[in-house]
């Protein structure tokens, strides 16, 4: 293989153009409805020739720039920067020669408030490669998502979910009751064979599939902490989302990662739907809904979701977030944290809370 210098490989690369192009991309059996959904899914566009785009020097440069954002003082980035140009060339060579293998994970546990095991990979080569993949694959994944999923999607997130729920609650009759549930050990329970099969519905590039398979098989389930994991997890649930909306015809459905919320004017219909959801998750995704599901009248207790408690008449900040705000003001008051909490509170009915805590 002819060895090129960084300058030779990079002479036509243009990270600014790459960033601009990337941004522009982001702007048989069963019931009749199930057959319609299967037909629609079979027609979803599959993608070829993605691997070469991932391997391009301009994409790797862009990935390096994005992976380091807000983290330039980390040890791994400082070490990488000592040989940045040669590392990017080495990374490209690894990809072209199919010799890349996921590095060993470092693991640690957090309690926020639930105990979670977090997996961490080195900056070079792994985190750069994950960003390089997502530079190309993100619009592919997003094209499969329904409008009802909110985590890890540009322009959506927590406040996108808040706006959608607030709008839904204007229909007081259609949102009298709520079903709220989440999935037991979601990330560790994601089945590798099913995830790989789902990826092959939309990707036909064999080189890219080989790379994704290697990353998927580097840990049990999908490891929390990997940049790719949040997209894998969202994608894993995407066809369930389509089933909810297009087969079950649920009008008010919202999903944030593995937290699911459904509104209805009829309590009994939610109990019936819950049974079907459990069956779908088990049969198609090998997932289990937690037993602590809730079906309740919205006006009686409100919906606790994405950091807020929703009622038909108002929205409050989640109690735990308010308690953290109070604790911060008492023990480690600082302008940056205050601004962050103000950002949370400005989206709910929290004017009096701010006055009380900040004495404004």
């Amino acid at each position: 293989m002819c060895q090129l210098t960084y300058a030779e490989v990079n002479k036509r690369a243009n990270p600014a153009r790459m960033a601009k192009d990337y941004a522009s991309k982001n702007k048989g059996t069963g019931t009749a409805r199930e057959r319609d959904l299967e037909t629609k899914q079979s027609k979803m566009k599959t993608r070829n020739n993605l691997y070469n785009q991932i391997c391009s020097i301009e994409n790797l440069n862009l990935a390096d720039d994005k992976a380091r954002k807000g983290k330039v003082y980390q040890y791994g980035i400082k070490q990488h920067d000592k040989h940045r140009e040669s590392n990017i060339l080495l990374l490209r060579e690894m990809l072209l020669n199919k010799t890349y293998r996921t590095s060993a994970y470092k693991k640690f546990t957090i309690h926020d408030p639930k105990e979670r095991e977090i997996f961490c990979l080195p900056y070079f080569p792994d985190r750069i490669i994950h960003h390089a993949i997502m530079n190309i694959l993100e619009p592919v994944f997003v094209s499969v998502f329904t409008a009802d999923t909110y985590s890890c999607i540009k322009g959506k997130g927590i406040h996108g979910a808040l706006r959608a729920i607030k709008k839904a609650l204007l229909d007081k009759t259609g949102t009298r009751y709520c079903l709220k549930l989440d999935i037991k050990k979601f990330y560790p329970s994601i089945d590798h064979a099913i995830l790989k099969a789902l990826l092959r519905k939309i990707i036909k590039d064999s080189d890219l599939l080989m790379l994704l398979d290697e990353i998927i098989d580097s840990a049990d389930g999908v490891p929390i902490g990997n940049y790719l994991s949040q997209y894998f997890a969202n994608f894993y649930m995407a066809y369930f989302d389509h089933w909810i909306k297009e087969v079950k015809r649920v009008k008010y459905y919202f999903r944030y990662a593995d937290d699911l919320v459904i509104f209805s004017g009829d309590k009994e219909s939610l109990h019936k739907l819950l049974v079907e959801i459990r069956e779908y998750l088990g049969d198609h995704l090998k997932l289990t809904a937690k037993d602590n599901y809730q079906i309740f009248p919205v006006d009686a207790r409100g919906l606790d979701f994405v950091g807020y408690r929703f009622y038909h008449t108002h929205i409050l900040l989640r109690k735990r977030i308010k308690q953290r705000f109070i604790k911060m003001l008492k023990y480690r008051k600082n302008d940056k944290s205050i601004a962050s909490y103000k950002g949370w509170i400005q989206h709910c009915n929290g004017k009096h809370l701010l006055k009380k805590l900040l004495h404004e």
Side-chain angles (χ1 to χ4, degrees):
M1 185 177 187
C2 180
Q3 296 294 315
L4 299 177
T5 66
Y6 181 86
E8 288 171 329
V9 175
N10 195 41
K11 66 182 178 182
R12 287 193 297 271
N14 187 331
R17 187 185 74 234
M18 184 71 186
K20 184 178 179 181
D21 292 344
Y22 171 76
S24 69
K25 289 179 182 177
N26 285 280
K27 289 189 178 175
T29 56
T31 66
R33 287 179 183 173
E34 288 169 335
R35 289 194 298 273
D36 288 345
L37 179 58
E38 288 170 1
T39 300
K40 179 179 178 181
Q41 290 175 353
S42 70
K43 292 179 179 178
M44 285 182 178
K45 187 178 180 182
T46 57
R47 276 77 173 184
N48 276 304
N49 304 317
L50 298 173
Y51 193 74
N52 287 337
Q53 297 178 52
I54 290 169
C55 297
S56 72
I57 199 75
E58 58 183 354
N59 184 50
L60 295 176
N61 280 329
L62 177 62
D64 189 9
D65 289 341
K66 293 174 73 173
R68 70 178 54 230
K69 195 168 289 185
K71 307 168 188 173
V72 292
Y73 298 110
Q74 288 186 0
Y75 175 78
I77 297 175
K78 288 182 177 181
Q79 291 300 108
H80 165 64
D81 282 349
K82 292 178 181 179
H83 310 283
R84 187 175 183 180
E85 293 186 357
S86 59
N87 278 349
I88 293 297
L89 282 178
L90 176 60
L91 191 50
R92 182 171 183 267
E93 189 173 327
M94 277 192 251
L95 290 170
L96 291 175
N97 293 336
K98 319 291 193 305
T99 57
Y100 167 74
R101 298 294 180 269
T102 299
S103 303
Y105 287 97
K106 289 184 179 179
K107 304 176 188 178
F108 58 94
T109 302
I110 63 169
H111 302 266
D112 189 31
K114 294 184 286 188
E115 182 177 300
R116 299 179 190 273
E117 187 175 33
I118 306 299
F119 293 69
C120 185
L121 284 169
Y123 181 79
F124 174 85
D126 305 273
R127 281 191 268 164
I128 298 175
I129 281 185
H130 285 207
H131 276 269
I133 291 169
M134 286 314 304
N135 284 348
I136 306 304
L137 268 195
E138 184 174 5
V140 178
F141 281 148
V142 170
S143 71
V144 181
F145 298 156
T146 69
D148 315 282
T149 182
Y150 295 89
S151 64
C152 310
I153 301 175
K154 288 180 175 62
K156 288 195 162 187
I158 287 172
H159 295 122
L162 180 146
R163 289 189 295 270
I165 290 174
K166 186 177 180 181
K167 182 178 179 181
L169 289 173
L170 295 174
D171 177 7
K172 293 185 178 181
T173 303
T175 59
R176 285 179 63 202
Y177 295 97
C178 178
L179 164 62
K180 185 174 185 287
L181 73 154
D182 62 347
I183 295 167
K184 186 176 181 180
K185 295 183 178 178
F186 176 48
Y187 278 77
S189 298
I190 289 176
D191 183 270
H192 288 188
I194 294 173
L195 176 57
K196 291 175 185 179
L198 292 174
L199 287 168
R200 281 157 174 78
K201 286 188 173 194
I202 60 166
I203 299 169
K204 297 303 178 187
D205 186 318
S206 59
D207 289 337
L208 175 54
L209 288 169
M210 187 186 307
L211 175 62
L212 295 177
D213 287 352
E214 193 282 329
I215 293 170
I216 290 167
D217 290 334
S218 67
D220 293 335
V222 168
I224 299 172
N226 272 3
Y227 182 59
L228 268 175
S229 293
Q230 55 193 348
Y231 292 94
F232 282 156
N234 230 356
F235 176 69
Y236 195 75
M237 294 291 291
Y239 293 95
F240 169 80
D241 297 336
H242 282 279
W243 175 76
I244 283 285
K245 294 298 291 185
E246 296 158 27
V247 175
K248 304 315 298 177
R249 300 293 176 93
V250 174
K251 184 175 182 180
Y252 298 121
Y253 167 68
F254 311 88
R255 181 173 66 81
Y256 196 93
D258 62 327
D259 291 328
L260 283 63
V261 167
I262 296 172
F263 292 124
S264 175
D266 177 11
K267 190 175 183 178
E268 291 307 312
S269 68
L270 290 178
H271 280 285
K272 181 181 177 183
L273 182 60
L274 175 61
V275 174
E276 296 179 278
I277 287 173
R278 286 183 180 277
E279 289 177 356
Y280 186 101
L281 291 175
D283 294 345
H284 294 272
L285 299 175
K286 294 186 180 179
L287 297 174
T288 304
K290 288 183 180 177
D291 292 329
N292 64 347
Y293 71 89
Q294 304 164 48
I295 295 177
F296 57 91
V298 174
D299 285 336
R301 52 185 287 192
L303 164 66
D304 187 343
F305 189 57
V306 295
Y308 299 92
R309 186 171 288 276
F310 297 85
Y311 297 86
H312 282 114
T313 54
H314 60 288
I315 303 171
L316 300 177
L317 190 67
R318 179 180 283 164
K319 184 177 180 181
R320 190 165 64 246
I321 295 175
K322 182 174 75 172
Q323 289 171 340
R324 287 178 184 169
F325 189 15
I326 294 169
K327 188 175 180 180
M328 180 274 296
L329 290 173
K330 186 175 181 179
Y331 295 109
R332 54 182 188 278
K333 185 175 181 179
N334 63 89
D335 291 341
K336 186 176 180 180
S337 294
I338 290 172
S340 176
Y341 281 106
K342 279 184 172 181
W344 277 90
I345 292 171
Q346 72 178 2
H347 293 280
C348 66
N349 301 91
K351 186 186 297 184
H352 295 296
L353 175 65
L354 271 180
K355 284 184 178 181
K356 180 180 178 181
L357 296 180
L358 299 179
H359 311 291
E360 292 181 343

